[in-house]
């Protein structure tokens, strides 16, 4: 059997054999999957910004936290849109080496948390099955739920980022039916594909603002003032 890909966003290079399974995945890891349509604009920005913000807080991404992305109509093998690269560079994030890919069942199966750009993307992921409903949210929906969670109720970072991340997803899922969006559009990140750089920058700002409290909750470390 051929080992499946390890996914993008694994920090620290190769992992020692003693901490991997026979398929090459860490025994104790947490995998975040960002989903948009083409996987060349929104989800690449979100993937690389997540990696950047986590590394800023913890000093390293590390093999335990894996961040990747895919598209429901993913442009397999395509480069990131140039405006998306520019936006990432302006945030100080690394856009190098990215290639688009189509969302597959195996990506959903392996993900511990799926964050989508829109409600339609969320519905498509959930329709794939694999018990994805309780771990799939739009990005802005997840941010809203995370903001309502008392950080003191989460495991301390000393227990490990994986333990903390899993508890965060469970807490957010428990709140979903109680904390609804003020409007349907409040949970959407609109597609900037084909738009000018100014619109890409506004979408980048939206994504950054949504990710900041999520990364703070995941790591237990707030952004520097």
């Amino acid at each position: 059997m051929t080992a499946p890909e390890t996914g993008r966003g694994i920090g620290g290079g190769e992992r020692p054999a003693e901490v991997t399974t026979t398929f090459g995945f860490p025994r104790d890891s947490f995998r975040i999957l960002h989903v948009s349509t083409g996987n060349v604009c929104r989800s690449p920005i979100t993937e690389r910004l997540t990696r950047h913000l986590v590394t800023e807080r913890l000093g390293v991404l590390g093999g335990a936290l894996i961040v990747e992305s895919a598209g429901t109509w993913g442009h397999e093998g395509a480069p990131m849109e140039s405006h998306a690269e520019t936006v990432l560079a302006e945030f100080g994030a690394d856009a190098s080496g990215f290639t688009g890919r189509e969302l597959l069942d195996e990506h959903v199966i392996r993900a511990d948390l799926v964050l989508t750009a829109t409600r339609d993307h969320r519905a498509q992921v959930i329709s794939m099955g694999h018990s994805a409903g309780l771990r799939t949210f739009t990005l802005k929906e997840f941010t809203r739920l995370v903001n309502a969670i008392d950080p003191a109720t989460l495991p301390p970072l000393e227990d490990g980022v994986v333990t903390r991340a899993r508890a965060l997803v469970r807490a957010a899922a428990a709140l979903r039916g109680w904390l609804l969006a003020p409007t349907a559009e409040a949970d959407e990140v609109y597609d900037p594909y084909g738009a000018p750089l100014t619109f890409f920058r506004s979408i980048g700002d939206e994504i950054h603002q949504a990710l900041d409290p999520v990364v703070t909750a995941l790591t237990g470390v707030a952004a520097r003032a």
Side-chain angles (χ1 to χ4, degrees), residues 92-181:
D94 182 14
S96 64
F98 182 89
T99 54
R101 61 181 188 173
E102 184 176 354
L103 180 67
L104 302 176
D105 288 85
E106 66 190 65
H107 302 145
V108 177
I109 291 168
R110 296 189 321 218
D112 297 289
L113 172 62
V114 184
L115 297 177
T116 70
T118 69
R119 292 167 296 145
D120 283 346
H121 297 134
R122 181 185 63 194
Q124 289 179 65
V125 171
I126 293 173
S127 73
M128 296 171 72
H130 315 303
S131 303
L134 291 177
R135 50 196 168 89
T136 302
F137 310 78
T138 74
L139 171 62
K140 288 186 174 180
E141 173 191 24
F142 193 66
T143 301
R144 184 176 68 255
L145 299 171
V146 164
N147 281 334
I149 297 168
D150 182 355
T153 65
L154 298 173
L157 189 59
E158 289 75 15
D159 289 354
V161 68
V162 171
T163 298
R164 186 179 176 92
R166 288 175 179 161
L168 183 66
V169 173
R170 289 194 299 269
L175 284 174
R176 178 149 44 188
W178 299 94
L179 193 62
L180 303 179

Side-chain angles (χ1 to χ4, degrees), residues 64-81:
L65 189 62
I66 302 166
V67 185
E68 55 189 352
S69 62
T72 54
W73 290 88
H75 300 297
E76 191 72 31
M80 190 186 309
E81 281 289 297

Side-chain angles (χ1 to χ4, degrees), residues 13-26:
E14 294 184 1
R15 295 178 296 277
E18 65 269 15
V19 299
T20 60
T21 70
T22 55
F23 293 103
F25 301 138

Side-chain angles (χ1 to χ4, degrees), residues 77-100:
M80 190 186 309
E81 281 289 297
S82 60
H83 287 341
E85 290 186 344
T86 298
V87 167
L88 285 171
E90 289 173 351
F91 280 111
D94 182 14
S96 64
F98 182 89
T99 54

Side-chain angles (χ1 to χ4, degrees), residues 10-65:
I10 303 173
E14 294 184 1
R15 295 178 296 277
E18 65 269 15
V19 299
T20 60
T21 70
T22 55
F23 293 103
F25 301 138
R27 289 193 183 96
D28 194 17
S29 64
F30 188 87
R31 187 178 294 258
I32 302 172
L33 174 66
H34 294 293
V35 175
S36 62
T37 303
N39 194 215
V40 292
C41 298
R42 288 168 291 181
S43 51
I45 291 173
T46 316
E47 173 194 325
R48 294 306 177 92
L49 266 183
T50 302
R51 296 177 60 183
H52 176 67
L53 294 174
V54 170
T55 303
E56 276 190 333
R57 311 294 171 85
L58 299 181
V60 64
L61 183 57
L65 189 62

